[in-house]
Amino acid sequence: MRAALWLIGLFGMAVAAALFAGSNQGTVTLFWAPYRLDLSLNLAIAIIVLAFVLLYAALRALAALLQMPHQARRWRSQQKERAMHHSLLEALSHQQAGRFLRARKSALAALAMEESLAEAHAAVPHGTRLRAAAHMVAADASHALQDSPQRDHHWREVLANAPAQGNAQEQEMREGAQMRAARWALDDRDAADALRRLAELPQGAARRTIALRIRLKASRLAGQTSTALDTARLLAKHRAFSPAAAASVVRGLVLESINEARDTTQLQHFWLSLDGEERAMPEIALPAASRLMALGGEAAQARAWLLPVWERLLSHAGPRSESHLPRLVQVLEPCLDGLDGTWLARIEAATNSHPREPRLQYLAGMACVQRQLWGKAQQLLLRAAPHLQESALRTRAWQRLALMAEHRGDADAAAAAWKQAAQAVVMLPADPARP
């Protein structure tokens, strides 16, 4: 369509020129004493147009001639700029490929070219950010090469080219450098330095996933379990881990905090900081109750911690309950001191609901021993002992039966019970307490 319009326009111009020049009788006379020159108007117009074209072409040629030195300098600057960007891309490629020595050399080459451009007054507008990026690559490569002096030198150059009060891009570059420094400190097993560098980050940057990951590892390395636990929960909230991995990490840190408790007050304070779902997990409640008893805590408090686990395991039968029930019985047994009627009724109800579960029968027998119900205790323990799969429970059951037989004066029954206890895989010392 455009070509057709141009063609129509050319035809129109040709028709107009033919109509104007075909019947034009005008004359132009030039007087240059003592000469006189007569020209037709058409020729005069043609000469004027030709002269204008020649003058314009001459001026353009002169301008191009005068611009040649400038164009040459511009071309050389452009070639240097392309080589600078090429060197920086090479440095990034070598770094990703694990060729750290070549990566540092390429980064230094990019820095040298950028400095040359700046000295030639042809610096690129983004030269500051480019220098910071090149120094960052060189610092990272130096860290991989175990060259700490060079790494620190390039890292300081990054901070110099990315001021804290700069624009948004410079601030991001500075935050990235601080995170990398924290990662380097973590690689050097210097957890204190890693946490210090993370503390220097702005609040928004410190809550990013990569910063939280570094904080989690540094806190665990420094033994700051509480900080590591808070960080792991925040990472789980941001879905930085899969649900299974997040639960495993949080559970492991909770167990570390439980084991690190030095007194019952500290343990109870930490227990209250857990949410209801965590306190109902057997993987957490069982070690917590066991630690509480080891620290000399009250048995009633331990039983209160174990109650949600007891209700969950007995109301939801399955492989998970089967795996945690032996541990629950072992932890609950030392907590039977001062057993009240509510818990005794609860244990008896569980035994009646699961008549084929020897562990519950064993626990009920031990509970009857604590309440001095000797006949019922003997009946339950005799029923449970032969069927217990756990050697520790089986050994204690036979030991308790032997002690009860000795107390009754039944030497034959006591000897038989002691023999059964001796045949257990794991030999445990008998409880010195007598019924």
Side-chain angles (χ1 to χ4, degrees):
M1 185 64 182
R2 183 178 297 179
L5 292 176
W6 272 105
L7 186 61
I8 294 173
L10 289 176
F11 273 112
M13 293 174 61
V15 171
L19 291 176
F20 175 77
S23 59
N24 189 4
Q25 302 297 325
T27 302
V28 177
T29 302
L30 298 177
F31 294 94
W32 189 276
Y35 304 103
R36 172 182 174 176
L37 182 63
D38 293 326
L39 302 173
S40 65
L41 181 59
N42 293 338
L43 180 59
I45 292 175
I47 291 174
I48 291 173
V49 172
L50 181 60
F52 174 78
V53 171
L54 292 176
L55 179 61
Y56 178 78
L59 291 176
R60 289 295 301 271
L62 181 61
L65 181 63
L66 295 176
Q67 286 291 326
M68 285 183 67
H70 176 72
Q71 292 292 339
R73 289 193 300 269
R74 182 178 179 182
W75 181 84
R76 288 193 296 269
S77 299
Q78 189 178 37
Q79 292 301 112
K80 289 182 179 180
E81 184 177 344
R82 289 178 178 176
M84 175 184 64
H85 288 96
H86 178 70
S87 298
L88 183 58
L89 291 176
E90 275 192 344
L92 293 172
S93 300
H94 289 318
Q95 183 185 21
Q96 294 175 357
R99 311 184 77 167
F100 301 110
L101 187 58
R102 293 190 180 187
R104 185 168 64 178
K105 288 182 178 179
S106 298
L108 293 178
L111 289 171
M113 293 176 187
E114 195 280 332
E115 185 179 358
S116 176
L117 286 172
E119 291 177 353
H121 304 287
V124 293
H126 55 280
T128 303
R129 292 170 55 196
L130 190 143
R131 284 196 304 273
H135 279 297
M136 194 69 242
V137 174
D140 215 354
S142 299
H143 173 73
L145 295 171
Q146 300 295 317
D147 190 352
S148 299
Q150 284 295 320
R151 179 196 67 188
D152 296 339
H153 166 72
H154 289 294
W155 184 76
R156 287 191 295 269
E157 290 294 329
V158 174
L159 297 185
N161 287 279
Q165 304 301 325
N167 53 35
Q169 292 80 7
E170 292 174 344
Q171 290 179 5
E172 288 185 356
M173 181 69 71
R174 186 181 185 89
E175 292 167 1
Q178 291 173 324
M179 291 182 188
R180 291 304 299 172
R183 181 66 188 180
W184 297 336
L186 190 60
D187 293 340
D188 294 337
R189 311 295 294 176
D190 190 351
D193 188 49
L195 292 173
R196 180 182 62 81
R197 294 186 185 278
L198 289 174
E200 296 174 354
L201 288 171
Q203 184 176 4
R207 295 178 66 86
R208 295 173 188 166
T209 301
I210 184 172
L212 291 176
R213 286 179 180 272
I214 298 173
R215 184 183 300 278
L216 174 61
K217 295 179 180 179
S219 300
R220 299 190 71 174
L221 182 62
Q224 300 179 7
T225 310
S226 177
T227 303
L229 180 58
D230 294 338
T231 306
R233 286 173 173 167
L234 194 57
L235 282 170
K237 182 180 178 181
H238 291 174
R239 296 184 179 180
F241 305 123
S242 64
S248 177
V249 172
V250 172
R251 184 168 58 249
L253 291 171
V254 169
L255 294 178
E256 288 183 16
S257 299
I258 291 173
N259 294 329
E260 289 177 358
R262 294 294 177 263
D263 51 44
T264 57
T265 303
Q266 181 182 358
L267 183 58
Q268 290 175 359
H269 179 73
F270 174 74
W271 179 261
L272 293 176
S273 67
L274 301 176
D275 56 34
E277 184 64 24
E278 290 175 337
R279 280 182 278 187
M281 294 175 61
E283 298 86 350
I284 295 177
L286 295 177
S290 179
R291 183 63 178 170
L292 179 64
M293 296 303 297
L295 294 174
E298 296 181 359
Q301 182 69 50
R303 291 197 298 268
W305 289 3
L306 294 174
L307 180 58
V309 178
W310 173 272
E311 294 176 347
R312 173 176 293 188
L313 292 182
L314 294 182
S315 61
H316 299 84
R320 189 166 183 266
S321 299
E322 182 66 22
S323 62
H324 289 295
L325 186 58
R327 177 61 176 162
L328 174 61
V329 172
Q330 292 178 0
V331 173
L332 192 56
E333 181 183 353
C335 305
L336 296 177
D337 293 337
L339 189 67
D340 54 11
T342 303
W343 259 101
L344 183 60
R346 193 176 288 131
I347 295 174
E348 289 181 352
T351 305
N352 296 330
S353 300
H354 303 82
R356 296 185 178 181
E357 180 53 63
R359 304 179 188 91
L360 294 177
Q361 295 174 1
Y362 166 81
L363 184 62
M366 289 299 186
C368 291
V369 170
Q370 294 295 331
R371 298 296 295 264
Q372 298 183 358
L373 302 174
W374 312 120
K376 191 172 183 179
Q378 181 181 4
Q379 179 184 358
L380 290 170
L381 291 176
L382 282 174
R383 189 190 310 169
H387 304 287
L388 289 171
Q389 300 297 324
E390 294 76 24
S391 59
L393 297 180
R394 186 169 64 252
T395 301
R396 286 199 294 270
W398 286 115
Q399 288 176 347
R400 179 56 63 183
L401 287 170
L403 292 173
M404 293 171 63
E406 289 180 354
H407 181 71
R408 296 193 311 268
D410 190 347
D412 294 337
W418 284 119
K419 182 178 179 180
Q420 291 291 337
Q423 292 176 352
V425 177
V426 178
M427 296 300 297
L428 298 176
D431 190 351
R434 290 297 186 93

